[in-house]
Amino acid sequence: GLGATVLVAILVALIVQLECGSWMLAFAGGSLALLGQGFLASPPGIARPERLMLALALLAIMTIRHVPGAIGALLGAIPLAAAVFVAPQALWFVLGALVSLALERNRRFATFALTAGLLVAAGYIASSRWLGPWFNFDAWDAPTQALQFRALGPVRFVGDLLLRTLGVWVMAALLSFSMATEPWLGRGGIWMCTGIAALVGGLVATQSRAFGAEAFLPSIVLVSLVGPLMIQRVTRHLAAWEDPDRPGGENVVLAAVLLQFAAILAAVPVE
C-alpha cells in the first residue's frame, strides 16, 4: 500500500519532468498526487488495490508515450492488461490509450488493441476457470447489480472534488482546449486522453451502490499529472502572445501551484 502510493507519486513527478522539463512542476505534481492519495480518496495507511493499479497503468502509458513504434504499444499493453486484474478501473486507462493511439492513425493502435484485448481475454478465461463462478460474479454480476441512478453523485464529484479541491489544475486543462494546438493530439496527447478517461470513470463510479471515495483515486492522480502539463502550456502561450521573447510565465505558474496546494490542504479533513 505505502510502497505503491509513493511509487505513483514518483511516477507522476517523473512524467511531469520529462514532459515539462521543470523540477518545480515535477515536485508539485508528485506532492499533490501523494497528498491526494493520502487524504482525499481514502484514509492514510489503508492498502488499496487501486494504488498498485495506478502504478502499473502509469508505467504502461509512459512506455507507450516514450518507446517509439509498434514495440512501444506492445510493451505498454502488457502492464496495462495486468492492471485490469488488479483493479477494474484500469479499463478506463485502456480506453484512453486506445483513443489516443487511434488519433495517431498508424499501426500502433492495432498492435495495442490486439495485444491488450488478447491478454485481458486470456486472463479472464484463466481466472474464470481457476477461481470458478465467484470470479464471474465479482467481475460482472455484482458491479452490474450495484448500478443505480444517483443524480447528485456526478454533481458532487464535479463541484466538490474537481472544481473546489482540484480547481486550479482543472481550469488549466480547460483553458488548454482553447489553444490552437489541441492537447489531445500527438504523443504527449495520451496524457490528456487518459486523464479524460479517468474523469469519466469517476463519474460512472458515482452511479454504484458500492461507491466509495477510493473510486476517485484515478481522477485525483491524473488531474495531479495533467494539471502541471497544461498550466505550463497555457502560461507560456499567454506570455508569448505579444512578445515571443518574454519568459514563460514562471511567476504565474508558481502562484497556480501555491493556490492548488492551498486548496488541497483546505480539503484535508481535520479530526
Side-chain angles (χ1 to χ4, degrees), residues 52 70 85 107 111 113 115 130 152-153 173-174 196 199 205 232 244 264 267 270:
L52 178 57
F85 294 94
R107 63 179 183 176
T111 301
T115 304
W130 182 33
L152 291 180
L174 288 175
I196 293 173
L199 295 183
Q232 186 189 62
I264 287 185
V270 178

Side-chain angles (χ1 to χ4, degrees), residues 5 8-9 12 28-38 220-221 224-225 264:
T5 301
V8 168
V12 169
S31 299
L32 292 172
L34 191 61
L35 283 172
Q37 290 181 88
I220 292 168
V221 170
S224 299
L225 190 160
I264 287 185

Side-chain angles (χ1 to χ4, degrees), residues 36-37 40-42 48-51 53-54 87-90 92-93 150 157 161-162 197-222:
Q37 290 181 88
L40 299 182
S42 62
R48 296 291 314 177
E50 290 86 358
R51 292 180 168 89
M53 177 274 290
L54 284 167
Q89 288 172 299
W92 294 107
F93 290 89
R150 303 172 66 184
F157 172 66
L161 180 65
L162 296 187
L199 295 183
V200 173
L203 288 170
V204 173
T206 64
Q207 301 303 297
S208 172
R209 287 191 297 271
F211 164 75
E214 64 276 359
F216 292 155
L217 275 169
S219 300
I220 292 168
V221 170
L222 265 294

Side-chain angles (χ1 to χ4, degrees), residues 105-160:
R105 298 180 181 179
N106 56 36
R107 63 179 183 176
R108 278 161 53 91
F109 169 78
T111 301
F112 176 82
L114 183 61
T115 304
L118 288 175
L119 289 174
V120 171
Y124 179 84
I125 293 172
S127 299
S128 180
R129 290 183 176 180
W130 182 33
L131 300 174
W134 283 110
F135 173 77
N136 294 324
F137 177 80
D138 287 337
W140 293 104
D141 296 343
T144 303
Q145 293 173 10
L147 289 176
Q148 66 176 9
F149 178 69
R150 303 172 66 184
L152 291 180
V155 174
R156 290 173 177 170
F157 172 66
V158 173
D160 188 37

